[in-house]
């Protein structure tokens, strides 16, 4: 593993995508991608100018089991709203509305 120091963000928040795949065969390869998934966000904005400071877990990590302890979890955040998850329908709506990942 290696840390990405200039990650793609949505509204200044780091995110990851959780995709669900069912593999029914390896030879021949047969896999099915579920139509929905999760977008998981950090609950504090990522500061690219201070990316070497990993002490703020809530801006660097998207893990829900960590972000559930964030003081800003339930507050309404710019672009992503309250909480730290979107489903793919919300992500598609954001892109359709002209969302720009930085």
């Amino acid at each position: 593993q290696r840390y990405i120091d200039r990650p793609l963000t949505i509204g200044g928040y780091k995110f990851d995508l959780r995709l669900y795949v069912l593999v029914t065969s390896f030879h021949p390869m047969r896999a099915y991608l579920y139509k929905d998934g999760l977008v998981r966000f950090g609950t504090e904005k990522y500061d690219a100018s201070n990316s070497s400071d990993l002490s703020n877990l809530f801006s660097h990590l998207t893990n829900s089991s960590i972000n559930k302890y964030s003081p800003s979890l339930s507050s309404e955040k710019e672009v992503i709203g309250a909480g730290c998850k979107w489903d793919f329908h919300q992500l598609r709506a954001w892109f359709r509305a002209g969302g720009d990942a930085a």
Side-chain angles (χ1 to χ4, degrees):
Q1 265 184 342
R2 98 182 145 83
Y3 189 78
I4 300 171
D5 39 332
R6 291 184 335 165
L8 191 63
T9 63
I10 293 178
Y13 296 90
K14 286 179 70 173
F15 69 96
D16 68 17
L17 302 177
R18 179 162 286 191
L19 308 171
Y20 298 97
V21 178
L22 171 65
V23 178
T24 59
S25 174
F26 288 98
H27 203 86
M29 175 59 86
R30 182 174 294 134
Y32 299 91
L33 177 64
Y34 186 61
K35 63 182 174 181
D36 203 6
L38 288 177
V39 183
R40 302 181 314 165
F41 294 96
T43 50
E44 293 187 15
K45 283 194 172 188
Y46 175 74
D47 180 6
S49 68
N50 199 14
S51 64
S52 63
D53 178 13
L54 300 177
S55 63
N56 185 352
L57 298 179
F58 303 127
S59 70
H60 288 279
L61 302 177
T62 59
N63 190 314
S64 302
S65 63
I66 290 170
N67 278 293
K68 69 182 177 183
Y69 297 110
S70 172
S72 62
L73 176 65
S74 58
S75 64
E76 193 68 25
K77 293 174 279 307
E78 181 185 352
V79 179
I80 67 170
C84 62
K85 293 180 194 173
W86 282 356
D87 59 25
F88 277 14
H89 300 289
Q90 290 168 288
L91 181 64
R92 281 188 211 102
W94 179 76
F95 276 119
R96 284 188 192 115
D100 184 28

